[in-house]
Each structure stands twice: as structure tokens, then as C-alpha cells.
């Protein structure tokens, strides 16, 4: 098919008009319509680029390179001349390049160092529906640049499926153009029963299905697998299958050499089976595919709170992704897609992937924004704003790493609502020189900082291996039997400095043994997990070498390596609370327990590279894994400004008193503390006692139901009589009031019987306090002279409770505050249990009382019954 016959050309004139007009455009076109290859050529051919270039953002490196190769062939130029690509660790561009395919991080970094984007006339965001974090941020920055310094910049967003309404609002004014494309029906088949891939490997199941459909279909087969290892095993099984011996079989994933990637997508006379990651899901069109076998899994980037970094975890794909995969079989003729899960399981899958901005650690992207001069990220124009907690975590980590520094104090901005609630904003921070150096490394800031330290300490290879060890799940199985533990100790020796060192020895053993299953099983090593370390190790070494670091083999200096771990994970620094237990206190006011299997059980100070929160019986237990022993002298050497000697206070749980202490702290972690004879400051003592009260460990006897009713009455007064300008008592205010009650006390015994109402009454002005009992009294007098108790609730009206005999002769309604608030009546039996709640006593006497009297007079004959 000639490129001019592709469906996208139906929109050519409208695309050009929209780009020339508003300068912003959304193009919806299905996979195979030609949008990725042809739209950049349209801009070039019709002179919309002037002397500049169009940058095409691709979510994946493989797609960027292969699309550039195809467009170069169509333009009739060598790759790297008019058409080129730029991805991590690989670039084919020149001064003549006019169409440049790049991965998203490349452009965002360029925006950090060149905020006018000199030479770029247009940016195309391809496959935007995948909602990669860097794509979202790059689009926001592009819009900012277009609105300020570059009004001539053209922005095009393209995808097969995306939330066009969200984007249209965000990019307004902008036009949406849709191409229907040309697709054929695809028959989707599911497995009759679910499969456990732990016992029936996914590559075995996939090969079995390839054998079944090979005879039923024509053309090539595309098999989706989550990663390189699963692809390799599938290729082996296919090549060993008697039924599939007439097929060629090629792997396809981003870590393959370019020539092997090209071989997988080339056309052959013989039928072939391509085994690919989700790189073949979009962007890349593989001609000749008539059948798809989908394992339903993919490696998904997600923030791992255990390691404090982003990791790639194998997860089930969404319905939208599985539809994209199925569509690869219907490009040129009707096709078939076999899904390796049941139809019932399909209905339980999420409809869409969660955008990365909602599931990834934001430290790296926040650092990139800081490099672009955006100190205050509160007002950055996010397409979808991340949670404040995620931004706080990113800013806090960058500050701990020394990548950013404060330029202002914490700001509180009123929300403008009458409730007095406030919206918290993050304090502005500014990138430091260390932060700018860290940006040169395309990796998580923790490891970028560790690589900088490793260069200074001469241990780059060790840090590269440690970085590789933390990317996947721990391959050294825990809770092994005695025989396995003894085999490990015999082979690896004792270790008391770092759990990392034990992992390093285990990986080297497995690598030297060629990942032999039996050899690994004997030592409790997970073969699949340990096999993934080597390629990552090489990748990190290549990054370090590209940045000019010394990656030569050297004798391992344990102290230097441990210092590097401290640099990267100083926010995970922990101090053992005592030698008899594994309890620890961490920076940022956290508590945790050292994992029993950790070999770092003899040290007072340690750093945990993995923190696991386990919820059990309503409590969250924090477990510290992958630990490294550190020394206080190193803290002073590396973080000299984070130390302070100060007076401190603590609540002694045994004495149940607040005591004054002299403390030496690293950030907010107390390293050493000694009790003094001085009285603690009253304010700090009150804050600690209030915390104990809030936790229920100290009881204020005087804070009873009557106090709770008084607080509800105050809040009702604020709600029903706004003209009185009474401030309601919120949960935060309760904490403040408790702290005021605790003021002047130092122990639980003093607080036990301390009065609370004097402090609470001070909440109201004298005139407000005076009308509280008038408008909302505790009791109300009835026409017969008797007084009935009133109870108040947060939401409903006041309720008057009285025994039925106390209500004889009364048929009127009741109200409070000069008739403004109606009162409900709770009629009680002689045993004080409710019979009826009503706001119409006349109707009660007429309709309900005869029945009530008949029943209760027999039960309580000594009471008066009229």
C-alpha cells in the first residue's frame, strides 16, 4: 500500500488548516491509520516547519527508533539526516534533521535547559492515551512555552483512543479531528477455565494456543508477553514445537539490538510468530499479523512504597489495552485473538490504566521542573493534578537528597469558605547544583545521587549492581529451612555490614552457575528474579559510563559502598531503640521493626532500602528490609548541617510524665538523649500530653457526655444562627482545646480529674455564651411545669425525652430559639426505653396512645395510666 492510501490522508487538509490556525490540534485515529508516520511528513512537505523541526514524542524507545527508520525510508533519506531519532543512550540526528522521534524524557530534559525550544516548530504527542507521566508534563510545559515565549509553536496530540473531552478543555481553543480508519472484525476467544501461570508457565500456555490456531488461521501470529525472559522462553518453546516447525519465530522488545528488532518486523515469504512486549500494542504496525495470542500481562511502572522508588511490576492489563492488542489482528483482513484468561476474569479487569501521574513517584519529574525554573509546583498547570501527598513525598525526598533547597516558609492559603478550612500548599524550593548534576542521570533521583557519591568514593560498579538488585522483587527467598540457611552460610559466609552484600554474592554465584535451576534452588534463589539483575546491571553501567564515571573493576570498599547507600536513603535512617529487641525509630517521626532475616542485627544505626507497611488487626506494622549498617561519624561527614544539639522533651510511658532531656538529633531523629532535672517547657509538655489523650492512653475524666453535648450545641448554634458569628468546633479545634486543657500539667495523674469546661467556655464570647443556654438549653420546661432533657446531634433536630406520665395534659409542639428550631419528642416507657419519636403529640394521643396504654398498663400496673 502506498503511504498516500493510508486513512489519515482523508484528514490532511483539515490537519494543515488547524495547525496553521489555532496551533493546537487533537487527532483521533485508530492504529494502522498512518498518523504516526504521515502527520510529521505532512508538516514538512507543506512548509509548516519553516527552517525548524518537528519533534514526535513516543512513549517507547523501540517505537521511536523504528518509526524514524520507516519515515526515513519513505522520505528517501538516510536515517539521521532529514529524519532521525533520539532515545536514552542512542541518538541518530544531525544538523539536517527536520523530523525527530524522541522518547518523552528527552524532550522534557531539553525543556529544562532550553526553555524557548530553539529550532523546534512543532511537537507531536503520539499515543497520548497511554498517559505516561513525562508525556503529561511535557504537554503542560509545551502549553506554558506556547503561551509565553513561543506563540508560534504548534502542538498536536494524537492517539487511537483517549479522553478527548478532558484534553479539549485543557488545550482550549483547539480542534478535534477523527479518522475512522479501516479495520476488519476480530474474533475474540477466551480460555474455558482459568490458568495458574505459577504451575502452568505462561509461555507453555501461549505455545499451546499458537499450535491450536496455526492451522485455523492464515498469516503471522503476534504473541504478547510481559518481559524479555518470558519472551525468550516462549521463543524456545515455539522453536521446539513440532506443530510450529514451519514458522519463523522472533522476539521483539526494547532491550534487543536494533538489527534483531528490525528482523522481527520484516516481511518474509514464510509465516512467522513474533513474541513481543506491549511495544507492539500501539505505534508500531507489524504487517501480516492475522492472529494474536495475548497473555494479558505487562510490566507496569508503579511507585513501590517499600523501596521508595518506581519499579516495573508484572500486572494484568486493562480492558482498553487488551482491545488494542486484539486490534492488531484486524489490520488487513478478519482476524482472531486468543486471550489466555477466562471471559469471567475479563469482566473483572479495570477498564483503563490509571494515569502514571496517579501511580508513580514524582521525585524525578519534580526535579526536572525545578531545573526549568518552576520553584512553586503548587500552580503548575497539571493535566490531572497528583495527590498532595505524592508531591510532598517527592519534595521531601529531593530535599533529603540535597537536590533542592527551601526558598520560603510553609504557606497556608485560605480556601475562602465559611467553614474556616484551609488548603495546604507546599513551600517553594529551588534546585541546587547537586540537583542539576543528578539530572544528567536518566534514573530515579535516589540512584542518581548514589552514582554521584559512588564517583567520589570510587565504587561505581558496586552501586550499579545495587541499583539493579533493587529494581525487581527480592530473589533471595526468605524464611528458608535450616539446610538452605546452612548452605548459604557455608557458601556466602557471615555478613554483618549490609544485606546488599549478601545479595551481591548470591547474584554472582547464580550468574557464574549459568542460572542453573538446581544450583539456585539449593540456596533458595528465585531463578526468574535473579536472571533479571544482569541486564539491568549492564544498563546502569552504560548510563554511568555515558556520564563519564569510572566503571572499572576495583576491589570493593565496603565502607565506601555503605556511605553511598546512606546518601541515597538518608530518609530511611533508623536507630535501634534497644539491644534486646528489633524495634527502631526512623527519621520523619516513624517507628519500625528490623526484619528478623536481616543480617544487620548488631548495629545501632542503619539504613533501610526497603520499608514494608503491613496492616494487621487495624494496626500498621513497619518492617525494615535490605538494611545497611552506618556510623554516626559518616552522618556528620556527609550531612554536617543536619545535626543539632537541643533541649527536648519526651513522654515517659512508665512514669506517665513528660520529662526534659538534652538531645543530639540528625534532622528529627534523636541519636542520643539524656534526662535533665529541669522542668519541660509548658507548651511542649502540653503538646505531648494532648497526643497521649488523643491516643486514648490518658483519660480526661471530666470530658464526659455532657461535654460532648455542649460541643454539639455550640456547633448547632453556629449553624442555625450564623448572624451570631460563632466559630464551630472542628476535629482540629478539639485537639487544640485538649492541648489548652493540658497546659500547665506534666503528667497523667494531674490531668485525670482536671476540669475541662473552663477552657471550652472560653471558646465563646460572653454574649455568645449567654445566648447558648437561652437558644439551645439542656432542658426545656413543659406546660405542666415539668422539665424534660434535650439531646442534640450533629445533623438532626433536637430531641426532647420524657416519660409518658410526664407528658399527660400536653398536646402542643415544641420549638427553640423563638420558634426557629422545631423539637422532636421522644416518648419513654416507665423503664426509660423509647416508645415513639414524634413531632405531633396530638396525633400520638389520638392514634398511638390507646395501643401503647393497653400493652404497657399490664406490664407496669403501679404507674398512672389515664
Amino acid at each position: 500500500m502506498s503511504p498516500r492510501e493510508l486513512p489519515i490522508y482523508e484528514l490532511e487538509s483539515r490537519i494543515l488548516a488547524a495547525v496553521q490556525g489555532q496551533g493546537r490540534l487533537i487527532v483521533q485515529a485508530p492504529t494502522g491509520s498512518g498518523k504516526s508516520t504521515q502527520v510529521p511528513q505532512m508538516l514538512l512537505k507543506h512548509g509548516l516547519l519553516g527552517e525548524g523541526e518537528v519533534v514526535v514524542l513516543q512513549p517507547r524507545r523501540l517505537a521511536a527508533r523504528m518509526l524514524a527508520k520507516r519515515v526515513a525510508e519513505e522520505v528517501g533519506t538516510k536515517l539521521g539526516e532529514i529524519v532521525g531519532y533520539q532515545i536514552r543512550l542512542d541518538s541518530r540526528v544531525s544538523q539536517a534533521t527536520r523530523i525527530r522521534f524522541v522518547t518523552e524524557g528527552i524532550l522534557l530534559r531539553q525543556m529544562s535547559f532550553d526553555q524557548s525550544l530553539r529550532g523546534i516548530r512543532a511537537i507531536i504527542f503520539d499515543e497520548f492515551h497511554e498517559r505516561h507521566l513525562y508525556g503529561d508534563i511535557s504537554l503542560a510545559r509545551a502549553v506554558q512555552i506556547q503561551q509565553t515565549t513561543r506563540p508560534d509553536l504548534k502542538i498536536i496530540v494524537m492517539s487511537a483512543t483517549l479522553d478527548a473531552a478532558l484534553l479539549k478543555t485543557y488545550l482550549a481553543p483547539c480542534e478535534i479531528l477523527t479518522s475512522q480508519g479501516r479495520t476488519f472484525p476480530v474474533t475474540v476467544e477466551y480460555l474455558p477455565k482459568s490458568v495458574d501461570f505459577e504451575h502452568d508457565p505462561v509461555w507453555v500456555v501461549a505455545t499451546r494456543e499458537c499450535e491450536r490456531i496455526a492451522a485455523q488461521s492464515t498469516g503471522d501470529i503476534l504473541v504478547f508477553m510481559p518481559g524479555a525472559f518470558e519472551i525468550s522462553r516462549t521463543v524456545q518453546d515455539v522453536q521446539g514445537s513440532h506443530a510450529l516447525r514451519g514458522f519463523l519465530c522472533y522476539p521483539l522488545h526494547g532491550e534487543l539490538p536494533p538489527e534483531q528488532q528490525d528482523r522481527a518486523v520484516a516481511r518474509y515469504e514464510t509465516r512467522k510468530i513474533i513474541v513481543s512486549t506491549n511495544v507492539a500494542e500501539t505505534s508500531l504496525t507489524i504487517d501480516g499479523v492475522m492472529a494474536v495470542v495475548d497473555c494479558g500481562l505487562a510490566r507496569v511502572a508503579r511507585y513501590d512504597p517499600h523501596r521508595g522508588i518506581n519499579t516495573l511490576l508484572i500486572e494484568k492489563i486493562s480492558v482498553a489495552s487488551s482491545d488494542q492488542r486484539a486490534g492488531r489482528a484486524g489490520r488487513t483482513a478478519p482476524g482472531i485473538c486468543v486471550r489466555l484468561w477466562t471471559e469471567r476474569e475479563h469482566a473483572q479487569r479495570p477498564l483503563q490504566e490509571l494515569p502514571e501521574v496517579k501511580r508513580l513517584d514524582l521525585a524525578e519529574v519534580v526535579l526536572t521542573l525545578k531545573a526549568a525554573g518552576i520553584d512553586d509546583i503548587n500552580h503548575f498547570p497539571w493535566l490531572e493534578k497528583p495527590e498532595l501527598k505524592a508531591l510532598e513525598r517527592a519534595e521531601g525526598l529531593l530535599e533529603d537528597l540535597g537536590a533542592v533547597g527551601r526558598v520560603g516558609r510553609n504557606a497556608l492559603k485560605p480556601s475562602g469558605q465559611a467553614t474556616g478550612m484551609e488548603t495546604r500548599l507546599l513551600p517553594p524550593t529551588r534546585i541546587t547544583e547537586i540537583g542539576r548534576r543528578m539530572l544528567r542521570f536518566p534514573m530515579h533521583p535516589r540512584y542518581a545521587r548514589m552514582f554521584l557519591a559512588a564517583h567520589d568514593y570510587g565504587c561505581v560498579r558496586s552501586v550499579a549492581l545495587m541499583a539493579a538488585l533493587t529494581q525487581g522483587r527480592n530473589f533471595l527467598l526468605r524464611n528458608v529451612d535450616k539446610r538452605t540457611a546452612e548452605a548459604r552460610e557455608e557458601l556466602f559466609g557471615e555478613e554483618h555490614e549490609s544485606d546488599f552484600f549478601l545479595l551481591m554474592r548470591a547474584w554472582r554465584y547464580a550468574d557464574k552457575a549459568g542460572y542453573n535451576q538446581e544450583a539456585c534452588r539449593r540456596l533458595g534463589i528465585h531463578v526468574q528474579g535473579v536472571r533479571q539483575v544482569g541486564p539491568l546491571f549492564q544498563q546502569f553501567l552504560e548510563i554511568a559510563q555515558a556520564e563519564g564515571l569510572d566503571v572499572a573493576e576495583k576491589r570493593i570498599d565496603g565502607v565506601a559502598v555503605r556511605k553511598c547507600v546512606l546518601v541515597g536513603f538518608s530518609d530511611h535512617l533508623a536507630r535501634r531503640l534497644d539491644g534486646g529487641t528489633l524495634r527502631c525509630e526512623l527519621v520523619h517521626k516513624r517507628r519500625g521493626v528490623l526484619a528478623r532475616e536481616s543480617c544487620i542485627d548488631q548495629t545501632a544505626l542503619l539504613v533501610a532500602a526497603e520499608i514494608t507497611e503491613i496492616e494487621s488487626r487495624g494496626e500498621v506494622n513497619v518492617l525494615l528490609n535490605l538494611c545497611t549498617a552506618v556510623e554516626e561519624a559518616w552522618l556528620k561527614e556527609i550531612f554536617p548541617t543536619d545535626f543539632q544539639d537541643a533541649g527536648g522533651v519526651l513522654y515517659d510511658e512508665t512514669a506517665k510524665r513528660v520529662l526534659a532531656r538534652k538531645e543530639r538529633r540528625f534532622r528529627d531523629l534523636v541519636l542520643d538523649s539524656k534526662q535533665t532535672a529541669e522542668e519541660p517547657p509548658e507548651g511542649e509538655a502540653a503538646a505531648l500530653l494532648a497526643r497521649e489523650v488523643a491516643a486514648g492512653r490518658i483519660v480526661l475524666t471530666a470530658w464526659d457526655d455532657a461535654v460532648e453535648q455542649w460541643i454539639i450545641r455550640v456547633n448547632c448554634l453556629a449553624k442555625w444562627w450564623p448572624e451570631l458569628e460563632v466559630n464551630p468546633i472542628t476535629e482540629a479545634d478539639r485537639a487544640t482545646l485538649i492541648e489548652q486543657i493540658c497546659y500547665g500539667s506534666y503528667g497523667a495523674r494531674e490531668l485525670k480529674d482536671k476540669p475541662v469546661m473552663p477552657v471550652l467556655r472560653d471558646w465563646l464570647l460572653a454574649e455568645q455564651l449567654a445566648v447558648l443556654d437561652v437558644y439551645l438549653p439542656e432542658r426545656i420546661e413543659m406546660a405542666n411545669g415539668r422539665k424534660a432533657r434535650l439531646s442534640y446531634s450533629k445533623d438532626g433536630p433536637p430531641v426532647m425525652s420524657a416519660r409518658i406520665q410526664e407528658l399527660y395534659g400536653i398536646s402542643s409542639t415544641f420549638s427553640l430559639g423563638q420558634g426557629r428550631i422545631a423539637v422532636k419528642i421522644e416518648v419513654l416507657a416507665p423503664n426509660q426505653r423509647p416508645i415513639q419519636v414524634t413531632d405531633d403529640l396530638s396525633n400520638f394521643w389520638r392514634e398511638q396512645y390507646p395501643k401503647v396504654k393497653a400493652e404497657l398498663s399490664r406490664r407496669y400496673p403501679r404507674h398512672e395510666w389515664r
Side-chain angles (χ1 to χ4, degrees):
M1 179 190 295
S2 164
R4 293 288 308 180
E5 298 176 56
L6 289 166
I8 195 65
Y9 277 97
E10 298 167 0
L11 301 176
E12 182 178 20
S13 59
R14 296 173 63 192
I15 288 172
L16 297 172
V19 171
Q20 286 176 307
Q22 295 169 330
R24 296 182 187 175
L25 173 65
I26 298 171
V27 178
Q28 285 184 297
T31 301
S33 60
K35 62 184 183 300
S36 302
T37 58
Q38 304 308 307
V39 172
Q41 293 185 61
M42 292 177 190
L43 302 183
L44 177 64
K45 180 181 176 183
H46 292 279
L48 271 65
L49 302 179
E51 297 299 316
E53 65 173 346
V54 56
V55 174
V56 187
L57 266 74
Q58 286 295 326
R60 297 181 179 86
R61 291 177 293 160
L62 188 151
R65 190 190 69 80
M66 300 195 80
L67 285 169
K69 182 174 181 290
R70 179 169 296 184
V71 172
E73 290 170 356
E74 291 179 2
V75 172
T77 179
K78 286 182 179 179
L79 187 59
E81 294 180 356
I82 293 176
V83 183
Y85 68 86
Q86 198 174 358
I87 61 178
R88 188 176 67 183
L89 303 178
D90 190 12
S91 177
R92 294 285 293 277
V93 293
S94 66
Q95 292 292 325
T97 301
R98 309 292 299 289
I99 298 175
R100 177 163 54 109
F101 288 84
V102 304
T103 42
E104 296 158 325
I106 297 290
L107 180 66
L108 190 55
R109 286 172 188 276
Q110 184 175 348
M111 289 173 166
S112 300
F113 299 110
D114 177 14
Q115 296 177 38
S116 64
L117 295 181
R118 287 168 296 183
I120 298 177
R121 296 298 297 274
I123 303 175
I124 297 176
F125 296 82
D126 199 12
E127 304 302 347
F128 196 76
H129 71 279
E130 295 193 18
R131 296 299 309 280
H132 285 219
L133 176 59
Y134 277 102
D136 277 18
I137 303 300
S138 298
L139 177 61
R141 288 290 293 129
V143 171
Q144 276 188 324
I145 291 168
Q146 188 190 55
Q147 289 173 336
T148 53
T149 59
R150 288 290 309 283
D152 61 316
L153 184 67
K154 312 299 182 186
I155 298 174
I156 303 174
V157 181
M158 306 196 305
S159 177
T161 56
L162 50 74
D163 187 348
L166 172 70
L167 264 177
K168 186 175 183 181
T169 302
Y170 184 75
L171 292 174
C174 113
E175 190 173 349
I176 299 178
L177 300 179
T178 303
S179 169
Q180 298 305 318
R182 302 183 196 123
T183 57
F184 293 85
V186 176
T187 303
V188 177
E189 296 181 2
Y190 296 90
L191 296 185
K193 60 180 182 179
S194 61
V195 177
D196 182 357
F197 290 144
E198 286 293 322
H199 296 97
D200 202 358
V202 64
W203 50 86
V204 173
V205 181
T207 303
R208 192 162 61 224
E209 291 304 312
C210 284
E211 291 171 345
R212 183 178 66 82
I213 65 174
Q216 302 175 15
S217 62
T218 59
D220 299 337
I221 301 174
L222 174 59
V223 182
F224 283 101
M225 284 286 153
F229 174 71
E230 294 81 7
I231 288 174
S232 174
R233 291 303 303 266
T234 307
V235 170
Q236 288 177 28
D237 272 27
V238 168
Q239 290 174 338
S241 167
H242 182 75
L244 299 172
R245 62 183 175 181
F247 283 78
L248 299 172
C249 187
Y250 297 114
L252 181 61
H253 57 82
E255 304 308 320
L256 288 172
E259 60 272 12
Q260 290 188 36
Q261 295 172 352
D262 295 341
R263 188 170 62 183
V265 299
R267 295 298 300 266
Y268 299 92
E269 295 297 323
T270 309
R271 291 175 71 185
K272 73 173 184 285
I273 296 174
I274 308 105
V275 190
S276 175
T277 58
N278 56 2
V279 71
E281 194 176 301
T282 55
S283 297
L284 218 57
T285 296
I286 305 174
D287 295 329
V289 171
M290 306 289 283
V292 166
V293 175
D294 184 3
C295 74
L297 302 171
R299 290 194 179 276
V300 178
R302 194 176 293 279
Y303 173 69
D304 186 343
H306 304 166
R307 299 173 180 85
I309 59 172
N310 294 326
T311 56
L312 286 170
L313 302 176
I314 294 179
E315 296 182 6
K316 294 176 181 177
I317 62 172
S318 68
V319 171
S321 287
S322 55
D323 288 344
Q324 286 272 8
R325 292 181 175 188
R328 311 305 274 169
R331 285 275 292 107
T332 55
I336 182 173
C337 173
V338 179
R339 291 173 174 164
L340 304 186
W341 63 95
T342 66
E343 194 164 5
R344 182 178 179 181
E345 289 170 331
H346 186 72
Q348 297 169 347
R349 296 197 168 211
L351 294 178
Q352 298 276 354
E353 269 80 16
L354 196 65
E356 283 189 349
V357 74
K358 300 286 189 180
R359 57 181 160 88
L360 285 186
D361 175 57
L362 303 175
E364 188 174 356
V365 80
V366 167
L367 184 61
T368 308
L369 291 176
K370 300 289 182 185
I374 300 169
D375 297 334
D376 183 5
I377 59 173
N378 297 295
H379 302 106
F380 183 72
W382 306 90
L383 177 57
E384 285 188 67
K385 190 161 188 174
E387 294 180 5
L388 179 65
K389 184 178 178 181
L391 289 172
E392 283 179 331
R393 186 173 62 226
E395 288 267 20
L397 173 59
L398 292 174
E399 197 168 351
D400 285 340
L401 293 172
V404 299
R406 296 284 179 96
V407 294
R409 292 188 301 169
N410 238 333
L412 283 173
K413 182 182 178 182
S415 64
Q417 297 175 356
T419 60
M421 296 290 286
E422 293 177 319
T423 300
R424 193 154 42 95
L425 296 179
L426 294 170
T429 58
R430 186 169 297 154
I431 191 168
T432 64
E433 184 54 38
I434 286 177
R436 292 194 183 278
R437 288 172 61 202
M438 286 165 58
L439 265 183
R440 292 163 38 205
F441 297 85
M443 60 181 64
H444 191 277
R446 285 191 190 277
Y447 291 103
R449 184 67 187 89
M450 284 173 66
F451 269 108
L452 289 178
H455 180 65
D456 295 335
Y457 289 122
C459 55
V460 173
R461 287 189 77 86
S462 295
V463 166
L465 179 53
M466 290 170 68
L469 290 168
T470 57
Q471 299 306 300
R473 300 196 185 281
N474 194 338
F475 60 77
L476 205 55
L477 301 180
R478 293 168 178 164
N479 302 317
V480 294
D481 57 39
K482 186 178 179 182
R483 175 191 255 176
T484 305
E486 288 174 350
R488 282 183 185 174
E489 189 170 339
E490 181 183 343
L491 200 62
F492 302 148
E494 286 192 9
E495 178 54 55
H496 299 294
E497 291 187 338
S498 177
D499 292 331
F500 274 115
F501 294 167
L502 198 62
L503 281 179
M504 288 175 168
R505 291 175 205 150
W507 175 75
R508 289 193 175 96
Y509 166 82
D511 187 57
K512 192 173 180 180
Y515 305 101
N516 177 274
Q517 193 137 2
E518 179 55 32
C520 290
R521 186 195 61 76
R522 192 171 65 86
L523 293 167
I525 296 173
H526 191 276
V527 179
Q528 229 173 301
V530 76
R531 189 188 296 271
Q532 295 170 7
V533 174
L536 288 168
F537 179 34
Q538 289 304 318
Q539 190 176 334
F540 282 126
L541 284 176
E542 289 171 12
I543 292 171
Q545 194 166 23
E547 293 302 328
L549 304 190
D550 181 6
V551 298
E553 285 270 15
K554 295 179 180 178
R555 185 183 66 82
I556 295 176
D557 182 346
V559 169
V561 176
R562 286 155 59 200
K563 285 181 178 179
C564 291
V565 179
L566 173 59
V567 167
F569 289 90
S570 65
D571 58 320
H572 288 184
L573 179 72
R575 178 181 69 86
R576 295 279 296 280
L577 289 175
D578 51 70
T581 72
L582 298 173
R583 296 183 308 140
C584 299
E585 194 168 40
L586 291 88
V587 291
H588 302 317
K589 302 292 184 184
R590 295 168 294 172
R591 288 278 181 101
V593 178
L594 180 65
R596 291 191 179 279
E597 61 269 21
S598 174
C599 54
I600 312 306
D601 55 0
Q602 305 296 320
T603 185
L605 277 178
L606 55 97
V607 168
E610 183 177 308
I611 296 182
T612 307
E613 292 186 355
I614 303 170
E615 190 169 351
S616 175
R617 298 178 183 176
E619 291 187 1
V620 177
N621 298 315
V622 179
L623 199 63
L624 310 183
N625 278 301
L626 268 184
C627 297
T628 298
V630 299
E631 297 178 15
E632 187 175 324
W634 302 350
L635 295 174
K636 291 180 178 177
E637 171 195 328
I638 300 168
F639 308 102
T641 60
D642 287 342
F643 272 87
Q644 57 174 326
D645 290 312
V649 296
L650 64 77
Y651 180 74
D652 188 309
E653 295 177 11
T654 304
K656 296 191 179 301
R657 284 191 65 78
V658 177
L659 304 175
R661 304 187 75 82
K662 201 167 187 177
E663 296 177 346
R664 185 169 71 257
R665 297 177 187 167
F666 173 76
R667 296 175 186 160
D668 60 359
L669 176 65
V670 177
L671 298 176
D672 186 45
S673 178
K674 294 178 182 177
Q675 187 174 333
T676 68
E678 302 168 6
E679 282 286 16
E682 289 182 317
E684 293 183 46
L688 283 179
L689 290 172
R691 190 177 69 187
E692 295 300 306
V693 171
R697 292 186 286 269
I698 294 179
V699 176
L700 296 173
T701 308
W703 193 299
D704 54 14
D705 289 340
V707 171
E708 290 294 341
Q709 275 290 295
W710 189 87
I711 291 173
I712 294 173
R713 286 165 62 206
V714 169
N715 288 346
C716 289
L717 191 69
K719 180 168 62 175
W720 294 333
W721 282 274
E723 66 272 19
L724 294 176
E725 297 183 348
V726 173
N727 289 321
I729 299 174
T730 66
E731 288 302 314
D733 297 327
R734 279 172 174 265
T736 303
L737 289 167
I738 291 172
E739 194 169 321
Q740 289 177 13
I741 292 165
C742 295
Y743 196 84
S745 300
Y746 294 98
R749 185 177 298 176
E750 301 164 48
L751 279 177
K752 184 180 177 185
D753 299 317
K754 194 168 186 178
V756 301
M757 283 309 300
V759 171
L760 266 63
R761 286 195 185 95
D762 281 345
W763 182 264
L764 299 177
L765 300 174
E767 53 270 29
Q768 294 170 337
L769 190 61
V771 299
L772 177 64
D773 287 333
V774 175
Y775 287 0
L776 300 175
E778 293 180 88
R779 292 182 173 272
I780 188 170
E781 186 171 341
M782 298 180 287
N784 58 13
R786 291 176 172 173
K787 288 187 176 182
R789 177 171 50 85
L790 285 167
S791 60
Y792 297 84
S793 62
K794 292 178 181 179
D795 302 313
V799 176
M800 182 188 85
S801 300
R803 284 186 301 110
I804 198 166
Q805 283 78 15
E806 296 172 333
L807 294 171
Y808 286 153
I810 298 174
S811 58
S812 58
T813 58
F814 293 87
S815 62
L816 300 175
Q818 301 172 339
R820 184 178 293 194
I821 305 300
V823 175
K824 283 191 174 293
I825 301 105
E826 182 182 55
V827 184
L828 304 177
N831 64 352
Q832 299 291 331
R833 290 188 176 177
I835 302 169
Q836 179 91 22
V837 176
T838 180
D839 50 14
D840 188 350
L841 274 176
S842 299
N843 182 66
F844 170 76
W845 296 123
R846 186 173 59 253
E847 301 290 338
Q848 302 297 325
Y849 182 66
K851 303 173 192 173
V852 168
K853 177 182 176 183
E855 181 182 343
L856 293 182
S857 60
R858 289 195 301 272
R859 197 181 303 171
Y860 304 102
R862 295 184 182 181
H863 289 264
E864 178 186 6
W865 298 100
R866 294 183 186 177

